[in-house]
Amino acid sequence: MFLSVFDMFKVGVGPSSSHTMGPMVAAARFLDKMRAAPFEAHGVKGSLHGSLAFTGVGHATDRATILGLAGFRPDTYDHEKAEETLTHIRETHTLSPEGLPTLQFNPKDDLAFDFGPNLPGHANGMILMATDAQGDTILQETYYSIGGGFVLTEEELAQGRDTDDGAPVPYPFKSAAEMLEMAETSGKTIAQMKRANEESRGGAENLKSGVARIWQVMNDCIDRGLAVDGELPGGLRVKRRAKGIHDALLAERGTNLNAPHKINDWMSIYAMAVNEENAAGGQVVTAPTNGAAGVVPAVIRYWLDHVPGASAERVDEFLLTAAAIGGLVKFNASISGAEAGCQAEVGSASAMGAAGLAAVLGGTPEQIENAAEIALEHHLGMTCDPVKGLVQVPCIERNGLGAIKAVSAASLALRGDGTHLVPLDACIETMRQTGLDMSEKYKETSLGGLAVNVPNC
């Protein structure tokens, strides 16, 4: 099992990795399929199913799909160009993707929200079709957005989720138990093993520059979020709060009135800044998803800004360790809120943040595994019930609390010797089982919980 650090941390666009980035990726993949087809298409159509339908408007799923069909991709997204393209599509009812003829497409008629039963493979399903001049389907593909921006076709899902057909890696652990055994045998840290795996596939320089970019985008996102106020889009009239709280914390510095618990406010605003940017459709990094994008960067920023001895030169160690843990969760359970609730998103992110922090604070592999387990365990059962389908309430604050839990989990683990009752593998399996048992209305459909008990306007 190999999931790259660049699989777990993807540069993309808000508000959702599974509902915005995933559909955009799927649409871009369909364009490639059309380019390779032996016949010429005249138009395209699509349908969104399951959670993509129920919360698609709030997550801008339709917008992302349309832009994907126009040739946009999350990692190179240009907001100004996207707005111009959408206006052109609405006015002309045509798409002009590179390498294909002009395609007929009326957003109102040719992209349907299907509120019937889910497609069989996953709660986030979509079907894309190419049509001839008579409107008959000549090419069709079913895609599943399985969380964190990962997209699989129906065939790929049936062949085995997230299979890895690449060259063997030096440390192919697929469970926490195997990870700890390999660490003990090799004498390497989790980050060192992960680094060796990454370099065996992409080389040292690619890893160095790629990880540096990940942190740069994360950090820039925090800074943007701390500098902007106003209301978030979507109709709930949710106000940005990170800047106001940040300004107040800066004003209170140097006084004798600071209670120790105010450090929690710093952790919260770093996370909230990211998720306010995400809610506004800004550039973020999946960590492991957009809905949970604030936790890991908040913990890193807390470490760098508030912990003596922290060094930016070790951010790669943090991210590599976090990616190792995130890969275990994704491979053995899920990082998708539509599949397993928010325990799979913020819970996974908190476990990743706890592991990363424990690593840079000098934790042993056993202490790091313990930190991840503590953080994930105390998110078990957390539902995903966004009000109005927007990644705002309760998502923004939830990232702040996820960061606080991550720091607490790392601190607790470092107070022990790594021995503990519940292994991380057992906790991950429990999360998987809990997700299976969870009612669909609590898995990113906005049909239960806060989504129905809080007024939407």
Side-chain angles (χ1 to χ4, degrees):
M1 189 278 293
F2 175 75
L3 282 167
S4 172
V5 63
F6 304 120
D7 290 325
M8 300 312 300
F9 300 115
K10 300 186 186 76
V11 176
V13 60
S16 172
S17 48
S18 58
H19 289 61
T20 312
M21 287 175 59
M24 190 180 291
V25 169
R29 287 188 63 181
F30 189 66
L31 292 182
D32 291 337
K33 189 178 182 74
M34 291 173 65
R35 294 183 185 106
F39 35 75
E40 186 172 294
H42 182 76
V44 290
K45 294 183 178 181
S47 56
L48 306 171
H49 301 259
S51 181
L52 293 185
F54 284 109
T55 64
V57 173
H59 287 99
T61 305
D62 49 347
R63 184 179 188 277
T65 303
I66 295 166
L67 288 172
L69 291 171
F72 284 78
R73 295 177 182 269
D75 58 338
T76 57
Y77 179 78
D78 183 319
H79 179 74
E80 185 175 338
K81 185 178 179 181
E83 291 302 315
E84 294 174 356
T85 300
L86 284 171
T87 298
H88 178 76
I89 293 170
R90 295 188 184 107
E91 291 176 350
T92 66
H93 295 170
T94 62
L95 296 165
S96 302
E98 184 178 351
L100 288 167
T102 299
L103 301 168
Q104 297 300 308
F105 179 79
N106 183 343
K108 183 178 179 181
D109 299 329
D110 294 330
L111 185 62
F113 288 80
D114 189 320
F115 298 102
N118 293 352
L119 296 179
H122 191 276
N124 292 331
M126 59 191 296
I127 300 173
L128 297 175
M129 297 160 279
T131 58
D132 61 17
Q134 288 73 45
D136 296 327
T137 300
I138 55 176
L139 184 68
Q140 178 173 312
E141 186 64 85
T142 298
Y143 295 95
Y144 293 106
S145 180
I146 62 172
F150 289 87
V151 173
L152 297 176
T153 65
E154 188 171 44
E155 181 180 0
E156 288 167 345
L157 190 66
Q159 289 175 348
R161 177 174 301 179
D162 300 336
T163 54
D164 175 36
D165 298 324
V169 295
Y171 303 98
F173 52 84
K174 59 182 181 293
S175 68
E178 289 182 357
M179 179 182 72
L180 293 177
E181 182 179 354
M182 290 181 188
E184 182 177 4
T185 302
S186 67
K188 293 183 179 293
T189 67
I190 294 170
Q192 288 170 339
M193 292 192 298
K194 183 66 174 167
R195 185 185 300 279
N197 289 346
E198 296 285 343
E199 291 182 350
S200 74
R201 291 289 183 91
E205 187 55 41
N206 180 65
L207 178 63
K208 180 180 179 181
S209 61
V211 171
R213 185 186 180 224
I214 287 170
W215 171 236
Q216 186 66 57
V217 175
M218 284 180 168
N219 200 35
D220 288 349
C221 188
I222 292 175
D223 288 341
R224 287 197 311 274
L226 294 178
V228 181
D229 53 19
E231 287 186 357
L232 294 170
L236 289 180
R237 306 204 69 181
V238 172
K239 293 182 178 179
R240 289 179 179 250
R241 290 183 292 155
K243 180 182 185 300
I245 299 173
H246 183 238
D247 291 346
L249 288 170
L250 289 176
E252 293 165 5
R253 271 183 166 175
T255 71
N256 294 323
L257 303 176
N258 282 319
H261 65 253
K262 283 190 178 179
I263 192 61
N264 291 334
D265 297 341
W266 283 98
M267 285 184 265
S268 291
I269 61 164
Y270 296 146
M272 291 169 62
V274 172
N275 285 85
E276 287 174 356
E277 281 293 291
N278 178 63
Q283 187 182 59
V284 298
V285 177
T286 63
T289 66
N290 281 31
V295 177
V296 168
V299 177
I300 297 176
R301 185 68 172 260
Y302 157 75
W303 171 61
L304 289 174
D305 288 2
H306 302 275
V307 178
S311 169
E313 294 179 357
R314 297 184 65 196
V315 169
D316 61 343
E317 181 182 349
F318 188 115
L319 289 172
L320 287 167
T321 305
I325 298 302
L328 293 177
V329 177
K330 184 181 187 319
F331 183 77
N332 293 296
S334 176
I335 58 170
S336 168
E339 190 172 29
C342 199
Q343 59 172 358
E345 295 205 27
V346 170
S348 299
S350 189
M352 292 165 65
L357 182 60
V360 295
L361 292 179
T364 64
E366 290 77 15
Q367 289 172 318
I368 292 167
E369 184 261 1
N370 188 15
E373 187 280 326
I374 293 171
L376 182 60
E377 179 180 330
H378 298 291
H379 285 87
L380 290 176
M382 182 174 281
T383 59
C384 182
D385 51 354
V387 177
K388 205 177 179 180
L390 299 170
V391 193
Q392 298 180 17
V393 179
C395 321
I396 294 171
E397 287 181 354
R398 186 167 286 177
N399 275 257
L401 273 293
I404 292 170
K405 284 187 180 181
V407 174
S408 296
S411 183
L412 282 173
L414 292 171
R415 292 291 183 181
D417 60 4
T419 59
H420 55 108
L421 181 63
V422 181
L424 176 59
D425 289 329
C427 192
I428 292 173
E429 172 60 15
T430 301
M431 190 261 274
R432 187 190 70 82
Q433 294 176 6
T434 303
L436 290 174
D437 292 339
M438 191 179 289
S439 169
E440 292 297 318
K441 67 183 182 180
Y442 296 118
K443 294 195 283 189
E444 210 167 354
T445 58
S446 290
L447 296 176
L450 288 176
V452 299
N453 288 307
V454 175
N456 286 344
C457 59

